[in-house]
Amino acid sequence: MVRLASSWRRLRRILAGHGAMIVAATWLVACAPREVAAPLPAIATPLTPFPPISMSPVVAPPTATATPALAPVTWALEPGLPERHAVPLLTALSQHAVISIGAVKRPLQMAVQAESASARLKLVPLAAAPNSIAERFYAVVVPFATVADDVSLAEVQARWQGAGVGPLYVTEEAADDLPAVLGPRKAQAVSADELLTRLISEPNALGIMPFDQLDPRYKVLTVDGINVLSNQLDPSTYSLAVALTAEGTDGTWLASLLRGAIQPVTNRDPHRLTTLIMTGVTAMARGTAEKMEQKGYTYPAEVISATLRAADITHVSNEVPFIKGCVVNNTYMNLILCSDYPYWAALEAIGTDIVGLSGNHVNDFGREGARESLQFYRDHGIPVYGSGLNVEEACAPLRWEHNGNRFAFLAALAFEPRSAWATETEPGACYFYDNHDQIVATIRDLSQKVDIVSIELQYLETYNPFPTPQQVTEFRALRAAGADIVTGVQSHVPQAMEPYGADDPGGPGIIVYGLGNLFFDQMWSWETRTGLIARHTVYQGRLISTEILTTVLEDYAQPRWATPEERAEILRRIFAAVPERP
């Protein structure tokens, strides 16, 4: 018995040294003889369980395998990259030692030799830039009063390289960026402030400037027929656009890191661009109405509709009321005019969004006819301004927003008859002279609240491209009050235009003294058959360009686009009529 007790004490020591379960110790004690000579000493250290007993062979745990390190992204700047691009890129790169796409991380290092870099930062033509970091668009420009409309890329490139048929002046930004498209430069680089002066002093000169620095004093030429102002431009088709890109096997990695390092990312964001088309006299009555009854209600719109409908905002100045069942009266010199309801189809076909109602024929069918016509617009959800059920409504502005560009449109009648003028209780047009001070105050107020204030006047009718001295004074006063676009919608012949630039008082803008006819039957002279359509481009809240579209009326109802020879004659006529500026 003593030997058994001694053996038990040795087992206890072994169990304690190996962390045996106290349960196991208790089981062994229970098996020992009751005649143990001395009690077991207290166990000072708690026991932990035995591992389970297994008859399988013992296998060593696997050793963890280290994840192989990914190769670094090595970068380099293309030699000659302009400093205005290089500095922000280097600043951004200096802030990162690692580059990530999703959960994958790789070291970022500058290449020891540029040619060995896995990603190279350089300027390339926009169409050849799969990993674009920033984009810049450039426009070929001439002074506004220029007849030519287009230039070939070949001619631009020849002038850039010191050949061609005339000089080329480029802004400093263009001089930096366009070698990526046009090759080594010999054209003279000038400051943006100097460019227009150079172009005016040398009539055969061309200029190139950044898209976002345009203003209405310049005419933008299409390049091989591609228009950088178009709201439908496919950027890959435009020749004078460059991209800062990351080329190479890791170009995608580097571009993902650097997007946003250069601001703005683009100088031509289509989501901040708006095209506004404004048209002249529309009066679908008399001979025009007769042709519409014969050839269909959309007949006037069939040739020009696609271009007008493509604008973001299409404006019409409609001089006559919509009267249900209006009877066509095409007698000579009939001056009581109206349009039947179905004639709206012609305006719908050109994509009309807003209608100015400052015409002096709006009340030709009396106050009740004016109420009926206003209700017609409301029933069809067509926003109108310039007329209303009372003078307060008639003189109120129409607010509009597109692509972040905020507009306010006003219209007033500065002509007779008195029966066309709205009163405090009767419908009609907003009479300019009775409400002059309020109109000017409204323009000043709106100029602080919106981006573009546009006012149109139905003015004294003349058949001359030269605006009258009083017209010049009063239109310029509206411009000085804060209007960005001042338009005469009274003239039945094209009249002069007067552009303003960023450094003029009031900033960029334009006065259009008269647009001529859109849908009206005046076939009795060449001048009344010709018309203008103004296509304004607004970018980031600023008027940057006005294009002049030219039309010729056929068949008493249907305008068509002028031929190149006709267009040149129309443009020369209105450019010669521009009034002198102080």
Side-chain angles (χ1 to χ4, degrees), residues 34 91 178 546 548:
R34 292 184 182 273
T91 301
L178 288 180
T546 295
I548 305 173

Side-chain angles (χ1 to χ4, degrees), residues 319-479:
E319 291 218 16
V320 305
F322 277 100
I323 301 296
K324 186 174 183 179
C326 175
V327 177
V328 176
N329 180 358
N330 193 22
T331 56
Y332 178 70
M333 289 300 291
N334 168 38
L335 295 178
I336 306 300
L337 308 178
C338 65
S339 294
D340 199 359
Y341 285 7
Y343 295 5
W344 173 257
L347 302 186
E348 186 175 44
I350 62 172
T352 301
D353 297 295
I354 58 175
V355 179
L357 295 178
S358 59
N360 60 331
H361 290 274
V362 292
N363 285 3
D364 274 8
F365 280 71
R367 306 286 183 178
E368 282 307 310
R371 291 188 183 94
E372 177 186 345
S373 187
L374 290 168
Q375 190 62 46
F376 171 85
Y377 287 112
R378 289 173 181 168
D379 289 346
H380 288 78
I382 307 304
V384 300
Y385 57 100
S387 280
L389 294 174
N390 52 57
V391 67
E392 180 181 2
E393 191 175 285
C395 295
L398 171 66
R399 301 279 287 267
W400 199 270
E401 184 168 341
H402 177 267
N403 276 355
N405 298 310
R406 301 164 300 167
F407 296 82
F409 297 93
L410 300 96
L413 172 59
F415 195 48
E416 297 177 337
R418 175 181 290 272
S419 60
W421 307 342
T423 70
E424 291 185 3
T425 58
E426 296 290 335
C430 173
Y431 183 53
F432 179 65
Y433 296 108
D434 282 354
N435 300 282
H436 176 271
D437 292 346
Q438 176 195 334
I439 291 169
V440 170
T442 300
I443 291 172
R444 287 181 177 144
D445 179 58
L446 288 170
S447 68
Q448 304 301 311
K449 296 177 179 177
V450 303
D451 301 308
I452 301 295
V453 178
S454 171
I455 182 167
E456 61 207 68
L457 288 187
Q458 181 80 14
Y459 206 74
L460 172 70
E461 295 183 6
T462 63
Y463 288 83
N464 193 314
F466 295 87
T468 67
Q470 184 179 358
Q471 184 182 2
V472 172
T473 297
E474 293 186 337
F475 279 41
R476 286 179 177 173
L478 294 173
R479 156 82 188 155

Side-chain angles (χ1 to χ4, degrees), residues 142 149 237 302 317 327 337 369 382 386 391 443 487 522:
V142 289
D149 295 312
T237 66
E302 287 175 359
S317 175
V327 177
L337 308 178
I382 307 304
V391 67
I443 291 172
T487 307
Q522 290 186 325

Side-chain angles (χ1 to χ4, degrees), residues 420-568:
W421 307 342
T423 70
E424 291 185 3
T425 58
E426 296 290 335
C430 173
Y431 183 53
F432 179 65
Y433 296 108
D434 282 354
N435 300 282
H436 176 271
D437 292 346
Q438 176 195 334
I439 291 169
V440 170
T442 300
I443 291 172
R444 287 181 177 144
D445 179 58
L446 288 170
S447 68
Q448 304 301 311
K449 296 177 179 177
V450 303
D451 301 308
I452 301 295
V453 178
S454 171
I455 182 167
E456 61 207 68
L457 288 187
Q458 181 80 14
Y459 206 74
L460 172 70
E461 295 183 6
T462 63
Y463 288 83
N464 193 314
F466 295 87
T468 67
Q470 184 179 358
Q471 184 182 2
V472 172
T473 297
E474 293 186 337
F475 279 41
R476 286 179 177 173
L478 294 173
R479 156 82 188 155
D484 301 279
I485 302 171
V486 182
T487 307
V489 292
Q490 78 293 329
S491 176
H492 294 291
V493 301
Q495 289 190 314
M497 294 191 184
E498 190 173 286
Y500 292 82
D503 53 357
D504 286 316
I510 195 165
I511 297 175
V512 179
Y513 286 103
L515 287 165
N517 294 322
L518 180 67
F519 298 152
F520 196 36
D521 66 357
Q522 290 186 325
M523 290 280 291
W524 50 267
S525 76
W526 173 249
E527 288 75 18
T528 58
R529 288 181 61 198
T530 58
L532 308 178
I533 295 171
R535 184 164 61 191
H536 306 290
T537 299
V538 175
Y539 184 68
Q540 293 186 332
R542 185 170 60 88
L543 180 67
I544 64 170
S545 183
T546 295
E547 299 169 88
I548 305 173
L549 312 182
T550 48
T551 63
V552 176
L553 179 68
E554 299 285 3
D555 199 23
Y556 296 90
Q558 188 183 80
R560 61 167 173 81
W561 301 118
T563 67
E565 295 76 19
E566 292 168 342
R567 174 174 171 78

Side-chain angles (χ1 to χ4, degrees), residues 58 67 104 154 172 182 234 280 284 322 391 430-431 472 483 499 508 510 556 580:
V58 177
T67 303
V104 181
E172 289 146 359
L182 301 174
D234 176 358
M284 295 178 292
F322 277 100
V391 67
C430 173
Y431 183 53
V472 172
I510 195 165
Y556 296 90
E580 289 188 5

